[in-house]
Amino acid sequence: MHTILLTTLNARYAHTALGLRSLYANMHELQKSTTIVEFTMNEQIQSITEDLLKYSPKIIGIGVYIWNAAQSAELIQTLKKVSPDTIIVLGGPEAGYLPHRVDLSKADYIISGEGEVAFYELCKKILSSRHCGLDPQSKILNQVQDDKQPHFIKAPLPDLKAINLPYSAFNDEDVAHRYIYVEASRGCPFECEFCLSSIDEKVRNFPLDQLLEEFEILWQRGARSFKFIDRTFNLNMTFANRILDFFLSKEPPYFAHFEVIPDHFPEVLKAKISQFPAGSLQLEIGIQTLDPEIAKGINRPLKLEKIFDNLRFLENETSAHMHLDLIVGLPGESIEGFGRNLDKLVSLTHSEIQIGILKNLSGTTLSRHDQASWDDLQRYTPL
Ligand code: SF4
């Protein structure tokens, strides 16, 4: 019986949702009645609704992300129209922070933060209240409920050494045809204002030995495409070295992707990176800006000389495929200033440069600059 569904709309088929698998791995006795059903954001909402409701679920948990927020809002509204008694629980960065950019008000519950403990606890309460004949949409949690708004639940921070790892939830099709998303840590020690990771409390690590055992099992099953979602993979050298050693001990071909900060490549890390054969290592490097004043304005550390040295090393002495991120639209930055950053970056690398447009994400402190700009306008512009 599929009492609980975990679903999301991935950007493309090759992407797998690690968040759904992490929730599934921590459903304990409810796991046998929980099923993961993934879609892509290009599928029709009506057919997604039909597919989900075929399971006659009591609870649907939906992961809402920046790339699928609009489609998720439509999906929630359609689900609630067709099956108003199905309880909808939202999680993910686009649901967990207010204000929402899209209308998610038809959902019953929103979990803010890491949901491994909170989602399981909520499902238990919902199912037991149904079992007792209570109305799960208004009676559980003993809270006064505004009927029109979902309950907002601030999730307790899970202990990463105590929760179950999600890797056995990747099925054979995932292993054979899709990226396996993995994480060795959560959080970031930096506080760049535009980034949701800046509000994480601290960096927390998963137990490394256990993690490497899981990677070995995945490898033995045939997995060869690993994407690490750690925000700053190259900060903890113990972790980085052992994980890189794991791959270096394997026979290519394989593909390992890491997100790294550009100013921290100690010699030991450089030595390992230069051993990776062509096509096996991809580094996503967050440059964002090369202007010290702009970086200071958004609270982002910027060690230019180290960045330039490291990019030259990666470009000239390794086979790593680099993917460099630059943001256009940072507070205080002119288009000419952005152009100078881009020119400088192009002079340093032949690698792929991805230009992202600044997003004012709920939960970040970036909008304080809107107020500053507005104050300036009021001071200088006659109204
Ligand atoms: S942009 Fe990168 S370094 Fe800055 S807070 Fe976010 S994850 Fe951390």
Side-chain angles (χ1 to χ4, degrees):
M1 189 149 84
H2 309 284
T3 308
I4 303 165
L5 295 186
L6 289 166
T7 191
T8 194
L9 283 64
N10 296 315
R12 59 184 73 156
Y13 166 77
H15 296 181
T16 48
L18 182 61
L20 302 188
R21 289 164 177 80
S22 293
L23 296 182
Y24 178 82
N26 289 282
M27 291 302 282
H28 308 288
E29 78 282 2
L30 298 180
Q31 195 183 71
K32 58 183 179 307
S33 44
T34 303
T35 303
I36 294 172
V37 193
E38 288 174 286
F39 301 92
T40 64
M41 51 186 273
N42 297 323
E43 292 177 61
Q44 295 291 322
I45 296 300
Q46 203 172 335
S47 77
I48 294 174
T49 305
E50 282 169 21
D51 283 353
L52 290 172
L53 294 180
K54 266 184 212 155
Y55 292 90
S56 305
K58 293 189 171 63
I59 302 169
I60 303 180
I62 304 177
V64 188
Y65 298 90
I66 195 161
W67 59 85
N68 70 16
Q71 292 90 335
S72 297
E74 200 184 330
L75 175 62
I76 295 157
Q77 286 173 21
T78 312
L79 281 168
K80 274 296 183 186
K81 263 187 210 153
V82 182
S83 179
D85 290 339
T86 304
I87 303 290
I88 295 184
V89 184
L90 306 183
E94 279 290 313
Y97 298 100
L98 299 171
H100 292 142
R101 294 185 306 134
V102 295
D103 181 10
L104 303 176
S105 62
K106 294 280 189 293
D108 299 289
Y109 299 93
I110 293 176
I111 295 179
S112 173
E114 299 171 28
E116 283 89 353
V117 175
F119 183 71
Y120 163 69
E121 294 290 344
L122 177 62
C123 288
K124 255 195 335 186
K125 284 181 182 151
I126 291 171
L127 295 175
S128 64
S129 67
R130 282 189 169 225
H131 185 67
C132 298
L134 298 175
D135 173 2
Q137 289 180 349
S138 61
K139 297 280 174 57
I140 75 161
L141 302 178
N142 295 324
Q143 290 175 1
V144 178
Q145 162 91 351
D146 172 353
D147 279 348
K148 294 197 180 69
Q149 292 301 321
H151 277 299
F152 205 80
I153 300 167
K154 179 86 187 85
L157 216 52
D159 175 358
L160 299 188
K161 295 185 171 55
I163 59 175
N164 298 322
L165 296 179
Y167 302 108
S168 60
F170 286 101
N171 64 28
D172 290 346
E173 184 182 335
D174 300 334
V175 164
H177 302 296
R178 306 172 79 194
Y179 289 117
I180 302 299
Y181 284 81
V182 294
E183 56 181 345
S185 64
R186 287 183 185 170
C188 178
F190 302 111
E191 295 180 342
C192 313
E193 281 192 317
F194 57 84
C195 177
L196 276 176
S197 296
S198 66
I199 51 180
D200 289 345
E201 294 196 10
K202 56 182 177 173
V203 179
R204 296 169 298 134
N205 296 316
F206 284 90
L208 186 54
D209 288 331
Q210 208 184 328
L211 202 60
L212 290 170
E213 280 169 25
E214 294 289 338
F215 293 171
E216 182 61 37
I217 293 169
L218 283 167
W219 183 275
Q220 296 302 335
R221 290 175 62 199
R224 294 294 183 269
S225 296
F226 293 79
K227 278 198 165 191
F228 284 73
I229 62 167
D230 302 52
R231 304 311 315 223
T232 47
F233 176 75
N234 54 337
L235 264 191
N236 182 329
M237 279 305 108
T238 309
F239 268 63
N241 280 330
R242 286 194 58 197
I243 289 169
L244 294 180
D245 281 343
F246 171 86
F247 288 104
L248 286 172
S249 72
K250 302 298 185 195
E251 188 68 32
Y254 57 80
F255 172 80
H257 167 107
F258 302 97
E259 289 185 29
V260 292
I261 50 170
D263 58 11
H264 191 72
F265 283 84
E267 289 306 319
V268 60
L269 187 61
K270 286 182 175 174
K272 290 200 192 302
I273 289 176
S274 54
Q275 291 174 48
F276 275 81
S280 61
L281 179 66
Q282 176 165 283
L283 300 177
E284 181 166 345
I285 307 177
I287 303 291
Q288 318 311 2
T289 181
L290 291 171
D291 184 322
E293 278 306 305
I294 301 301
K296 197 169 158 196
I298 52 164
N299 210 19
R300 181 176 171 82
L302 188 65
K303 298 175 191 154
L304 280 180
E305 283 314 312
K306 283 197 168 181
I307 293 174
F308 296 157
D309 281 353
N310 290 335
L311 288 182
R312 282 188 204 103
F313 160 76
L314 292 166
E315 186 73 28
N316 300 321
E317 296 176 46
T318 76
S319 305
H321 179 261
M322 282 195 283
H323 176 111
L324 303 158
D325 292 328
L326 206 55
I327 294 180
V328 64
L330 288 169
E333 189 170 63
S334 63
I335 194 69
E336 292 78 15
F338 173 78
R340 283 192 294 274
N341 285 336
L342 185 56
D343 285 347
K344 179 68 186 170
L345 207 50
V346 168
S347 76
L348 285 166
T349 175
H350 297 104
S351 303
E352 192 175 289
I353 298 173
Q354 177 167 311
I355 297 170
I357 296 172
L358 181 70
K359 293 173 192 73
N360 191 357
L361 298 177
S362 294
T364 69
T365 54
L366 195 67
S367 55
R368 76 181 180 87
H369 295 276
D370 298 347
Q371 190 57 46
S373 307
W374 177 242
D375 291 347
D376 283 348
L377 266 180
Q378 285 192 313
R379 209 173 310 132
Y380 296 115
T381 311
L383 293 173

